[in-house]
Amino acid sequence: MQELKYVSLGVLVLQTTSLVLTMRYSRTLKEDGPRYLASSAVVSAEVLKIITCIFLVLMENSECFMRAMNQLLKEEIVNKPMETLKLAVPAGIYTLQNNLLYVALSNLDAATYQVTYQLKILTTALFSVSMLGKKLGFYQWLSLLFLMAGVTLVQWPSDSGGDTEEKVVSAGSQFMGLMAVLMACVSSGFAGVYFEKILKETKQSVWVRNIQLGLFSFILGFIGMIVYDGQSVRQLGMFQGYSTITCIVVALQAVGGLVVAVVIKYADNILKGFAASLSIILSTLISYFLLNDFSPTGLFFLGALLVIAATFLYGHERKPTGSSAIKV
């Protein structure tokens, strides 16, 4: 069991760090042709998630493929329309969140993104208190204060040299990235708590729930792609600009939640906090030494330290809020 914990730690760190870094690299890589559409990548990831979850549901059933598939579609989805429709809300929000993450990593370096995105702990906690009636202990409220202070320091503007025009463009880009991350944190917190509430009210398999969620996410994501990128899709196709790195990003985003869902039962609060901290440190090192898009400051290190401390402190008294809200 002890070995499984450390394997879980490694998997969590690898999944979190690799997704952020590959997504950042794919959004900043200079290519000859058109860049891939973020909306298309989100839709592709949802399709892959649905296929993966269907496979897992079939693995849980000893019946033949067609009989299990018929039971899944008929009994769990078609015959329970109201239960399925409940997932339209979090599906829409998750679709928005996934698109926002591409916007964020197109404008922020991986290290700054990783630290700032930990604000989802704050939003999840606040929504859990207001929607689920959960009570937070002293250490948890203290950790939220540390978290806000840390993110504020990380986002504090630095007096870097360079042309005034370049500084204006950089500040505008960072502001857009920051707004995208903040909106993603709010949407992540609300959708996660909403999904947790649904899971607790029903006895359906979490994988069946994720299939239902994925179907709505696919439909809404596809509509969003047509609305915002319809002209590009008609001219160059949905898979324009796709490369090996794009496919890796899509696969990591699709399977990442599944990996976390499997790992989560072996990882305690301290281990999950340790995984988040290691991921921040690795993202910082790789952004600085390999991607060359990050120049750390004293304020960044102090802010990152506060955020890392907050992740450990939050799990001090009880299980983290929304730990059962597994979105694959």
Side-chain angles (χ1 to χ4, degrees), residues 70-116:
N70 180 63
Q71 181 182 9
L72 169 68
L73 293 175
K74 189 176 179 181
E75 295 183 14
E76 301 290 356
I77 297 177
V78 177
N79 289 348
K80 298 178 181 178
M82 294 309 298
E83 294 294 322
T84 302
L85 281 173
K86 284 181 181 179
L87 291 165
V89 174
I93 297 174
Y94 276 129
T95 303
L96 172 64
Q97 174 194 335
N98 289 333
N99 280 280
L100 286 170
L101 296 186
Y102 280 96
V103 175
L105 281 165
S106 297
N107 294 279
L108 292 176
D109 60 82
T112 303
Y113 164 84
Q114 280 277 60
V115 175
T116 309

Side-chain angles (χ1 to χ4, degrees), residues 71-264:
Q71 181 182 9
L72 169 68
L73 293 175
K74 189 176 179 181
E75 295 183 14
E76 301 290 356
I77 297 177
V78 177
N79 289 348
K80 298 178 181 178
M82 294 309 298
E83 294 294 322
T84 302
L85 281 173
K86 284 181 181 179
L87 291 165
V89 174
I93 297 174
Y94 276 129
T95 303
L96 172 64
Q97 174 194 335
N98 289 333
N99 280 280
L100 286 170
L101 296 186
Y102 280 96
V103 175
L105 281 165
S106 297
N107 294 279
L108 292 176
D109 60 82
T112 303
Y113 164 84
Q114 280 277 60
V115 175
T116 309
Y117 194 47
Q118 297 307 309
L119 275 176
K120 63 184 178 181
I121 297 173
L122 170 65
T123 58
T124 302
L126 295 178
F127 281 120
S128 294
V129 170
S130 60
M131 293 172 63
L132 300 179
K134 288 191 175 181
K135 294 182 179 180
L136 302 181
F138 170 76
Y139 288 107
Q140 290 173 312
W141 284 114
L142 184 62
S143 73
L144 297 181
L145 292 177
F146 279 13
L147 186 65
M148 288 187 290
V151 171
T152 301
L153 290 175
V154 166
Q155 291 293 339
W156 199 268
S158 59
D159 296 325
S160 56
D163 297 335
T164 304
E165 187 177 345
E166 283 184 9
K167 290 170 72 174
V168 170
V169 172
S170 176
S173 178
Q174 185 166 359
F175 179 76
M176 183 181 294
L178 174 60
M179 289 299 102
V181 174
L182 292 179
M183 289 176 66
C185 288
V186 173
S187 61
S188 174
F190 177 78
V193 173
Y194 188 97
F195 192 46
E196 177 185 359
K197 190 175 181 181
I198 292 174
L199 286 176
K200 288 182 175 180
E201 290 175 351
T202 60
K203 296 181 180 180
Q204 279 183 319
S205 162
V206 68
W207 307 127
V208 172
R209 279 301 192 192
N210 275 285
I211 292 171
Q212 296 170 314
L213 201 62
L215 289 172
F216 277 113
S217 296
F218 167 74
I219 293 170
L220 295 172
F222 189 82
I223 292 172
M225 181 181 68
I226 297 302
V227 171
Y228 292 104
D229 296 312
Q231 187 175 354
S232 296
V233 172
R234 284 189 293 271
Q235 289 177 349
L236 300 171
M238 176 180 169
F239 300 106
Q240 59 179 283
Y242 270 51
S243 61
T244 303
I245 190 70
T246 310
C247 294
I248 292 173
V249 170
V250 169
L252 283 171
Q253 192 172 29
V255 183
L258 172 62
V259 171
V260 174
V262 174
V263 162
I264 213 78

Side-chain angles (χ1 to χ4, degrees), residues 272-320:
K272 284 182 280 186
F274 193 48
S277 304
L278 277 179
S279 184
I280 290 172
I281 294 169
L282 281 176
S283 296
T284 302
L285 293 175
I286 295 174
S287 289
Y288 180 71
F289 288 108
L290 295 181
L291 298 182
N292 297 317
D293 64 352
F294 174 62
S295 299
T297 63
L299 285 176
F300 175 87
F301 283 120
L302 179 58
L305 189 62
L306 283 173
V307 170
I308 289 171
T311 59
F312 281 104
L313 197 58
Y314 188 76
H316 186 272
E317 290 186 334
R318 62 177 69 193
K319 291 183 179 180

